[in-house]
Amino acid sequence: MDPKGQRAKLNDGHFIPVLGFGTAEVKEAAKSEALEVTKFAIEVGFRHIDCAYVYQNEEQLWCTFLRPELVRPALEKSLKNLQLDYVDLYIIHFPLATKALEKCKDAGLTKSIGVSNFNHKQLEKILNKPGLKYKPVCNQVECHPYLNQSKLLDFCKSHDIVLVAYGALGSQRVKEWVNLNHPVLLEDPVLSAIAKKHKQTPALVALRYQIQRGVVVLAKSYNKKRIKENIQVFDFELTPEDMKAIDGLNRNIRYYEFLVYLKLLICLCHVNITFSNNLTLFSVDILQVECHPYLNQSKLLDFCKSHDIVLLACGVLGSQGVKNAKEKYQSAYSVEQQTMDPKGQRVKLNDGHFIPVLGFGTFAPPEVPKSEALEVTKFAIEVGFRHIDSAHLYQNEEQVGQAIRSKIADGTVKREDVFYTSKLWSTSLRPELVRPALEKSLNNLQLDYVDLYIIHFPVALKPGEALFPKDENGKPIFDSVDLCRTWEALEKCKDAGLTKSIGVSNFNHKQLEKILNKPGLKYKPVCNQVECHPYLNQSKLLDFCKSHDIVLVAYGALGSQRIKEWVNPNLPFLLEDPVLSAIAKKHKQTPAVVALRYQIQRGVVVLAKSYNKKRIKENIQVFDFELTPEDMKAIDGLNRSIRYNELLLGVGHPEYPFFEEY
Ligand SMILES: NC(=O)c1ccc[n+]([C@@H]2O[C@H](COP(=O)([O-])OP(=O)(O)OC[C@H]3O[C@@H](n4cnc5c(N)ncnc54)[C@H](OP(=O)(O)O)[C@@H]3O)[C@@H](O)[C@H]2O)c1
């Protein structure tokens, strides 16, 4: 974000102004006005102009967004209309045209390339395309308080794709395209009340809402007063309460349903789409698709019939066509498999490895015999846990390693089925101590590699045997280490094959940023493991992590073990919370399983510690039910900044992480 917060960085390094000027106007007479209003918009401060070939007004406009049906010739035609050398952003509807689009970028005809009206699966297909050269920088979709696209937004943020909102003011309500029974967004009483409070208009509130949630927003107006008004979006700020109230308006109202219709066509047909000669984007009358017994297109056929579209079947005859379809079907399926396994139990890390979304926490206080770690870890693997979390600090890696090896030996799992995390303790943060520390863990575990090695806590302590070195007054003895140097040593451990992935724990967003901005960074952290539960839901840190494709791993997700030396006993018990209990009752589950499920549904990988067989088994039920959006919202509402593990021993060290807001 630039200092005025007026531009956001795209994943290819270019910048996009967060407020754009929309130019589509349906009235025929308006074509000549396009020149006037666009000049005016630039005069009053707009620096991002959105247009498309189909709006048929490019001769008048300087243009950033385009949607023609043929790639390079179409872009060249647009450039000719515009009399410009290049556009800043060229976006397209067609999932198959990505390579052609990449070539346009390479040829300098567009600075950036993106997509529009893509759902997350279509985006995923592009992101997972073998040989992908450039990720889409944006996905432009209808987005406003009545259709806030929060899931798509989360998805886009987690892939560093900017969501660009159109229809942000409730669309132009053109009767051919929009169901006029839908309510008028700008007459919404909640928006109006918030606008009144800020002495602004509902339109400005609707635009500001998008910018504050990290969305680039387009505002179309052909009225000079309103064009000028819209630029005031930078003059005020909505409070978190305003934002929450606007979030609450979401009700799945899509004004531009014709786009749903187009999108449906595109996503259902993997192959050629033939449009009639006088194509406009909104009237398709012939659709040519692959259609045969392996791909009978019955749903698409019903859809076409009901919309008076002729379906032209191709690939009906000939074994080759059928074989291709089968392969296509299977490869499409395997793409899905790669990103999420069938039960949705693993997510992809930014280095390409996968992490199971539910992990087994193995820490127990010193009075618990270490032999129990062996027993419970074996049991956890038997009942289905495939992600085990431990650390040098927990002094149980010998037993946990033994448990994993015994479950491999008896054939329950293979090594590659188990995801094991270890952690670099604070006394080994000096770069030269990193690899020996990991080798010591591997030796205790009797494993060849760990799946994930993370910096346990950013506060460095004096190297040596003592895990908590103290001076004669009982004060911790700190060490001074540049965490970027520690990180470089971790990168070397990954290169040496001692760990598959590397990450951090208990880092605030500034500390993460320092690593992300380190000159010569070789690998980004794949995760940040932090305390996270409904009373400390870490939503800001989570947003930050998602926007950098870093997985947030939650510890203390059940309210922590409340170990008396570390945790203030006066803090409320999470699992006794009445809201959690009511939701649990409704789903015939326990508050613990609800607290775990909450994390998984918001894209957080969650750890659950239990040394009790009944509860270990219970925790795996997290995959057996689903929380509703209302449940999720109610649990979000429990957030109250209660941190059980304050790790106060680090207070006084410059890297103590928890004085930052997030
Ligand atoms: N990176 C870090 O700095 C850090 C810090 C703390 C923890 N961790 C990791 O995160 C893991 C989990 O965090 P945590 O140890 O704080 O504990 P937690 O997962 O919040 O669990 C807290 C307590 O909940 C109980 N519990 C488990 N399942 C339950 C259920 N179904 N119903 C009711 N109660 C249940 C457990 O007691 P029982 O054993 O009696 O079932 C456990 O002691 C740790 O074990 C460790 O691996 C990392």
Side-chain angles (χ1 to χ4, degrees), residues 141-195:
V141 294
E142 178 175 335
C143 183
H144 43 71
Y146 287 169
L147 181 76
N148 75 16
Q149 302 274 20
S150 60
K151 283 195 181 168
L152 186 61
L153 177 59
D154 283 352
F155 178 88
C156 286
K157 283 184 176 173
S158 73
H159 290 279
D160 202 5
I161 293 170
V162 168
L163 193 144
V164 181
Y166 70 74
L169 300 176
S171 91
Q172 296 186 45
R173 302 181 68 86
V174 179
K175 67 176 185 311
E176 292 81 1
W177 303 346
V178 173
N179 175 351
L180 295 180
N181 295 325
H182 286 325
V184 179
L185 177 73
L186 297 184
E187 291 174 4
D188 184 276
V190 172
L191 280 188
S192 303
I194 294 173

Side-chain angles (χ1 to χ4, degrees), residues 371-560:
S371 57
E372 284 192 30
L374 170 63
E375 281 315 307
V376 294
T377 307
K378 283 202 296 194
F379 186 74
I381 295 173
E382 279 160 22
V383 299
F385 278 90
R386 292 293 177 267
H387 167 177
I388 318 283
D389 182 87
S390 186
H392 174 66
L393 179 71
Y394 305 166
Q395 300 283 291
N396 63 8
E397 289 196 293
E398 213 175 294
Q399 292 75 21
V400 172
Q402 198 183 336
I404 295 172
R405 283 182 288 107
S406 86
K407 287 291 117 193
I408 294 172
D410 74 7
T412 309
V413 284
K414 298 207 242 349
R415 173 65 186 92
E416 59 270 28
D417 299 331
V418 177
F419 188 100
Y420 176 78
T421 302
S422 183
K423 308 187 189 86
L424 175 72
W425 181 236
S426 292
T427 50
S428 301
L429 295 194
R430 292 187 184 183
E432 67 277 17
L433 299 179
V434 172
R435 184 172 174 148
L438 175 49
E439 283 170 339
K440 188 163 183 191
S441 280
L442 288 171
N443 191 37
N444 286 338
L445 292 156
Q446 289 289 301
L447 293 177
D448 297 332
Y449 66 89
V450 298
D451 292 275
L452 177 59
Y453 198 50
I454 61 184
I455 300 178
H456 202 146
F457 187 41
V459 168
L461 296 172
K462 181 182 154 251
E465 280 309 303
L467 293 169
F468 295 100
K470 290 192 176 122
D471 67 13
E472 58 280 10
N473 303 315
K475 287 215 167 112
I477 310 176
F478 293 140
D479 196 16
S480 166
V481 180
D482 179 348
L483 292 169
C484 286
R485 302 290 87 75
T486 312
W487 185 254
E488 284 159 2
L490 254 81
E491 289 181 328
K492 289 195 181 112
C493 290
K494 176 170 159 83
D495 282 336
L498 301 180
T499 179
K500 299 276 183 204
S501 299
I502 52 178
V504 298
S505 174
N506 297 306
F507 273 41
N508 62 39
H509 83 283
K510 289 206 172 147
Q511 291 167 321
L512 278 172
E513 237 162 22
K514 212 179 277 175
I515 304 264
L516 292 171
N517 294 330
K518 187 185 86 68
L521 180 76
K522 188 160 183 193
Y523 305 115
K524 295 206 300 193
V526 298
C527 75
N528 187 20
Q529 185 182 124
V530 292
E531 179 174 330
C532 183
H533 44 72
Y535 287 169
L536 180 78
N537 75 16
Q538 301 274 20
S539 59
K540 286 196 177 173
L541 187 60
L542 177 59
D543 281 350
F544 178 88
C545 286
K546 283 184 177 174
S547 73
H548 290 279
D549 202 6
I550 293 170
V551 167
L552 192 145
V553 180
Y555 73 72
L558 300 173
S560 95

Side-chain angles (χ1 to χ4, degrees), residues 203-221:
L204 277 172
V205 170
L207 296 176
R208 181 77 208 176
Y209 168 67
Q210 301 296 358
I211 292 177
Q212 283 189 214
R213 62 204 286 259
V215 167
V216 168
V217 67
L218 304 177
K220 177 264 168 186
S221 172

Side-chain angles (χ1 to χ4, degrees), residues 579-622:
V579 172
L580 278 188
S581 304
I583 293 173
K585 206 167 159 197
K586 191 179 78 178
H587 290 279
K588 299 196 176 58
Q589 298 288 349
T590 63
V593 182
V594 170
L596 299 176
R597 180 78 207 176
Y598 168 66
Q599 300 295 0
I600 292 177
Q601 283 190 214
R602 61 204 287 260
V604 168
V605 167
V606 68
L607 303 176
K609 175 264 170 185
S610 176
Y611 269 39
N612 170 296
K613 290 194 173 178
K614 186 173 152 287
R615 290 192 285 274
I616 294 174
K617 229 172 144 177
E618 178 184 314
N619 293 342
I620 208 105
Q621 288 170 18
V622 70

